[in-house]
Amino acid sequence: VLSLAPCVQQQCSGTGEAGVQLSPATALRILSAGCANLEKPPALRSVSLEATKSAVTASVQLSSAGSVYCAVYRSAAALSAPSSVNAVLLQKLTGSTDTRNISSMSITGLDAATTYKLYFLTVSPVGVMSSLSEVLASVREVETSCCRSVIAV
């Protein structure tokens, strides 16, 4: 909000072009307002990972009810971490907590004998999300099992 105090004739001093009175007494007032989240996103209590040759099952316990999103990156890739919380949301790997605040999700289509980094984003029931720094701190590494099965005939 911006407001200017008017120049009162008795306070004006100086003369501008065309005889217009100028005022050093003109005041500029600025009002600044902010907001803060009344609720915080759930915290990660524990993460349990179980890997097979081509999938990882993540069981995540949160400090309170909510949802958890997961982003998966190859550890050896040039891009091995999310650059924003939207990068986690876009992978669409999600689960909601049960009555014990535990969420399980299955991540399929992975390569055998490969190390992956998993990042977790938590969201409260009213939509308050973890910050990017919290997501980056949540990283867990897991390696898929080796190798493809060979069937002899």
Side-chain angles (χ1 to χ4, degrees), residues 90-143:
L90 288 172
Q91 289 199 19
K92 297 183 180 180
L93 300 169
T94 185
S96 296
T97 56
D98 61 15
T99 56
R100 296 174 298 144
N101 297 329
I102 296 175
S103 176
S104 292
M105 61 188 80
S106 185
I107 304 156
T108 59
L110 305 177
D111 293 330
T114 304
T115 303
Y116 291 92
K117 290 183 179 179
L118 279 64
Y119 295 87
F120 299 94
L121 167 75
T122 63
V123 182
S124 74
V126 296
V128 179
M129 290 189 280
S130 311
S131 66
L132 180 59
S133 61
E134 291 169 319
V135 170
L136 295 174
S138 74
V139 66
R140 304 293 195 277
E141 280 198 347
V142 63
E143 186 173 352

Side-chain angles (χ1 to χ4, degrees), residues 42-59:
L44 288 177
R45 284 266 167 91
S46 66
V47 177
S48 173
L49 302 173
E50 192 174 311
T52 64
K53 295 175 193 170
S54 62
V56 172
T57 300
S59 180

Side-chain angles (χ1 to χ4, degrees), residues 66-81:
S67 299
V68 63
Y69 290 80
C70 181
V72 181
Y73 294 86
R74 285 177 184 260
S75 291
L79 178 63
S80 63

